Amino acid sequence: NSEKQRRCDLLKVTEVIPFSGKIQGGLQDGLKITVNGTVLYCNGTRFAVNFHSGYSDSDIAFHFNPRFEEGGYVVCNTKQNGRWGPEERKMHMPFQMGNPFELCFLVDSWDFKVMVNGNHFMQYSHRVPFHRVDTLSITGAVQLSYIGFQNTR
Ligand code: 9QG
């Protein structure tokens, strides 16, 4: 449809650049990471927020991966030494293609608490010590408008 085409054209103009950046001081208990963006119609049907331990793709403490496939679901996992562990899937899609969202990750001592548009969505128990995490990356079908860090303790 024309709205989808318009958004595709917009995407071609703006060029979505995957985000990757250092988390100053690493993850701390009580740190809240806020990501504002818009899910795009183009550029695939998935996006991911990755908390890396080390500036590489082989160690990801928390991979948060919404997939607009088969009704929509979110895959969470951890990658260690290049190997994915068992997936934790939430068979619910809190994002809508084309719509802006606010996604928050609160680092707690036992887990990451994930909020979408102000509502609790899920939690993910730490599989590796969170203080190892030093890099955030965001890839896929998303256009970012804001990434912020806030200490809530
Ligand atoms: O598919 O699942 C999460 O368990 C894999 C995907 C992979 C992850 C993984 O291919 O995709 O979502 O780094 C990757 O390859 C990401 C983008 C069994």
Side-chain angles (χ1 to χ4, degrees), residues 103-144:
L103 171 59
C104 293
F105 298 90
L106 177 66
V107 181
D108 258 341
S109 42
W110 296 107
D111 54 26
F112 288 93
K113 296 198 194 313
V114 184
M115 314 249 299
V116 180
N117 299 329
N119 301 310
H120 176 81
F121 177 63
M122 59 163 296
Q123 61 273 334
Y124 184 79
S125 296
H126 298 300
R127 296 188 195 171
V128 298
F130 61 78
H131 64 255
R132 281 191 207 156
V133 173
D134 60 4
T135 306
L136 177 67
S137 78
I138 303 173
T139 60
V142 72
Q143 187 160 37
L144 303 170

Side-chain angles (χ1 to χ4, degrees), residues 46 48 50 57 60 63 65 67 75-79 84-87 89 139:
R46 298 179 178 187
N50 296 303
D57 200 40
I60 301 175
H63 169 73
N65 179 213
R67 299 179 180 180
V75 171
C76 296
N77 207 343
T78 295
K79 199 199 252 184
W84 289 109
E87 292 184 344
R89 292 188 173 205
T139 60

Side-chain angles (χ1 to χ4, degrees), residues 40-54:
L40 300 169
Y41 289 99
C42 322
N43 212 31
T45 57
R46 298 179 178 187
F47 75 94
V49 178
N50 296 303
F51 292 88
H52 301 256
S53 41

